[in-house]
Amino acid sequence: RPICAFCAIGRFYFLEDFMRIQLSDHFTYRRLLRFVLPSILMMVCTSLYSIVDGVFISNYAGKTAFAAVNLMAPVLMGTSTVGFMIGTGGSAIVGKKLGEGKKEEANEDFSFVVYFLMVLSSLLALIGYFLTPSIATWLGADGEFREDCILYGRILFLGLPLFSLQVAFQSFFVVAEKPNLSFLVNLGAGLTNALLDYLFIGVAHWGLEGAAVASVIGQAIGGLVPVIYFLCKNSSILRLGKARFSWSVLGNTCSNGSSEMVSDLASSLVSIFYNHQLLSLAGQNGVAAYGVMMYCNIVFAAIFIGYAIGMAPLVSFHYGAKNNGELRNLYQKSLILMGISGLVMASLSEAIAQPLVSLFTGYDADLTTLAVHGFRFFALSFLFMGVNIFGSSFFTALNNGLISALISFLRTLVFQTASVFLLPLWLGIDGVWLAAAIAETLACVLTCSFFFFERNRYHYGKAKVEAAQ
């Protein structure tokens, strides 16, 4: 029986017995999609933070405030990558130990990495809070624009520990065989943020400050509810409790999760480069237009990332259990799903570019025209994005942080940086919009090469699987 009211409510609302799918199961397409669907919906709900903020800020607070959020967002997202690192890296270790039958060790490692994340993210929050004015100046903001950057940045830095926990638990909920819980917690956080945005910005007219406070309150729900759940007696296979400090666990967690951290850090840095180029080519309108694309990108990328989060513990478990046939099954089905999804998302993006952009910039015809034109180029990146995100997550789940980090590092920092600085030399501002698509194409070639050369080492290749059977 649950030992607190929260857990009693959770057993009813979180649908724990809706569909009992275990990591050790065989996965058909239907079963795989049902297992990862909560993680996908969870990521989409999480993306509501930025999207709802963007819509309200742009339409109620104005273009300057909207540009300030977009200028600070890469820095804020960059610091939150510690949550992705601990979540993805730690879940790979915990999932592998569960596959090996070491349940007690898995729980000790789970508790240790969560406690470590609490301390690390709190330190980063303090540092970020005091450095916000310097960061805003370094990014090129001045006057009212700089003041908006400082206001928004400082409030969001205070919520960094909460957001980092929310991000990390997205992976741990899946390892605990409770993806539905993760979805519902993040849905509650997202709906809270949306409602408070309406109240604070639309009704109370608090502007940028209201958007920031609404985001932090939503993050508090997403970060603290999972902590309470895992501290209480529950029906999952994981629980927060006694921790065992281990340098090797910490090192493996950071190295395994470094690919996701590198990817997000690199994406944040690349966004800064985009803003730099666009400020020089199109001024604040360019930064605002790129911000619209990033908000749209959040939704589509969230689907790919959600699939990767939901699928990774399955790969870790079957790799640890040496179930080579099921590992190959997951690999093949994932590639097919990512390929089809990429084609659908790119086509859909092209079709709905105008109404999607108008949600943010309908009040400014010139800005809308610029953003729609750029988004049609940018949307081509969705064709191969899913394969690349899956590839990085797949090798993380196999406890190969090096290959995963290489895919992430080259895909984001190297290929996109080179594209965003070189393409405008020949294509002008269109080169900036096209940079993401070129980078994803090059990264897909790299990812597929790693798939091919590593297939026998990890036994997801056909010859090794048949030999094992």
Side-chain angles (χ1 to χ4, degrees):
R1 291 175 55 191
I3 63 172
C4 69
F6 167 80
C7 292
I9 296 171
R11 286 187 63 83
F12 181 78
Y13 287 101
F14 288 167
L15 307 177
E16 292 185 332
D17 298 320
F18 169 70
M19 183 177 182
R20 184 66 175 179
I21 301 179
Q22 297 180 328
L23 299 179
S24 56
D25 289 349
H26 169 69
F27 286 84
T28 61
Y29 278 109
R30 183 185 179 195
R31 200 169 186 81
L32 178 58
L33 288 173
R34 291 186 74 173
F35 186 78
V36 302
L37 182 60
S39 296
I40 294 173
L41 294 176
M42 166 196 67
M43 287 302 302
V44 172
C45 288
T46 302
S47 70
L48 287 175
Y49 287 139
S50 299
I51 295 169
V52 174
D53 282 350
V55 171
F56 274 98
I57 292 170
S58 182
N59 286 279
Y60 287 91
K63 188 163 58 177
T64 299
F66 185 58
V69 171
N70 296 326
L71 198 66
M72 290 299 297
V75 178
L76 297 166
M77 291 305 297
T79 55
S80 71
T81 55
V82 293
F84 281 105
M85 178 183 70
I86 298 300
T88 56
S91 65
I93 292 174
V94 172
K96 184 172 183 290
K97 288 190 175 180
L98 288 173
E100 295 169 344
K102 303 174 181 177
K103 184 177 179 180
E104 184 177 350
E105 282 189 33
N107 273 282
E108 289 178 347
D109 292 345
F110 165 61
S111 300
F112 167 57
V113 296
V114 169
Y115 299 153
F116 174 78
L117 176 60
M118 291 178 179
V119 175
L120 178 61
S121 58
S122 297
L123 291 174
L124 289 175
L126 288 175
I127 295 171
Y129 180 87
F130 289 109
L131 290 182
T132 299
S134 300
I135 293 171
T137 301
W138 177 72
L139 291 174
D142 56 16
E144 179 187 354
F145 190 26
R146 179 176 179 272
E147 293 304 312
D148 282 346
C149 289
I150 294 172
L151 174 65
Y152 186 78
R154 279 188 157 170
I155 296 175
L156 266 293
F157 268 123
L158 292 177
L160 177 62
L162 301 170
F163 186 54
S164 297
L165 285 170
Q166 179 181 356
V167 168
F169 278 116
Q170 291 170 358
S171 295
F172 287 125
F173 264 126
V174 179
V175 178
E177 298 178 346
K178 301 294 181 182
N180 290 316
L181 291 176
S182 182
F183 164 60
L184 291 174
V185 168
N186 284 276
L187 176 63
L191 291 176
T192 298
N193 182 52
L195 176 61
L196 293 179
D197 268 331
Y198 169 74
L199 293 176
F200 293 166
I201 305 175
V203 177
H205 302 291
W206 290 357
L208 199 57
E209 184 178 7
V213 172
S215 291
V216 172
I217 294 174
Q219 291 165 3
I221 293 175
L224 295 181
V225 169
V227 172
I228 297 172
Y229 174 79
F230 283 111
L231 282 173
C232 295
K233 185 178 181 180
N234 62 76
S235 62
S236 77
I237 55 179
L238 292 180
R239 186 171 175 189
L240 283 172
K242 182 182 67 175
R244 178 175 59 91
F245 184 89
S246 171
W247 285 112
S248 63
V249 169
L250 181 59
N252 288 333
T253 295
C254 294
S255 62
N256 286 335
S258 63
S259 59
E260 280 67 26
M261 184 175 185
V262 166
S263 177
D264 289 328
L265 280 174
S267 295
S268 297
L269 187 58
V270 168
S271 293
I272 293 173
F273 294 154
Y274 269 94
N275 285 330
H276 171 78
Q277 287 286 77
L278 289 167
L279 273 173
S280 62
L281 292 170
Q284 278 191 24
N285 267 8
V287 175
Y290 177 65
V292 172
M293 291 175 214
M294 288 300 97
Y295 287 120
C296 297
N297 176 67
I298 285 173
V299 179
F300 291 100
I303 297 174
F304 294 131
I305 296 171
Y307 180 87
I309 290 174
M311 173 278 311
L314 301 177
V315 173
S316 295
F317 182 92
H318 288 288
Y319 173 58
K322 302 187 186 305
N323 296 332
N324 297 332
E326 188 59 27
L327 186 61
R328 177 172 179 258
N329 172 56
L330 292 168
Y331 163 75
Q332 290 183 332
K333 284 181 169 58
S334 294
L335 278 183
I336 293 171
L337 289 171
M338 291 298 95
I340 294 173
S341 299
L343 181 61
V344 171
M345 289 185 197
S347 301
L348 181 63
S349 298
E350 297 291 343
I352 64 172
Q354 180 73 40
L356 198 59
V357 169
S358 296
L359 284 175
F360 297 89
T361 62
Y363 59 88
D364 190 316
D366 291 338
L367 179 56
T368 299
T369 300
L370 176 65
V372 170
H373 176 75
F375 186 64
R376 294 194 187 280
F377 285 106
F378 185 88
L380 296 174
S381 64
F382 300 138
L383 283 170
F384 303 114
M385 183 183 292
V387 173
N388 297 328
I389 291 174
F390 163 71
S392 177
S393 181
F394 183 72
F395 285 108
T396 295
L398 293 173
N399 283 251
N400 192 326
L402 177 60
I403 290 180
S404 183
L406 279 173
I407 293 173
S408 299
F409 177 77
L410 292 173
R411 168 183 169 243
T412 50
L413 190 60
V414 176
F415 294 152
Q416 284 211 49
T417 299
S419 297
V420 80
F421 280 109
L422 294 177
L423 290 179
L425 297 177
W426 295 282
L427 302 175
I429 195 170
D430 284 347
V432 179
W433 308 137
L434 195 58
I438 297 299
E440 294 290 354
T441 303
L442 294 173
C444 187
V445 174
L446 176 72
T447 301
C448 291
S449 298
F450 279 123
F451 282 148
F452 178 79
F453 289 115
E454 298 294 328
R455 68 193 188 285
N456 290 331
R457 177 182 177 185
Y458 292 106
H459 309 303
Y460 59 83
K462 184 176 182 180
K464 289 292 184 181
V465 172
E466 291 177 345
Q469 292 175 337

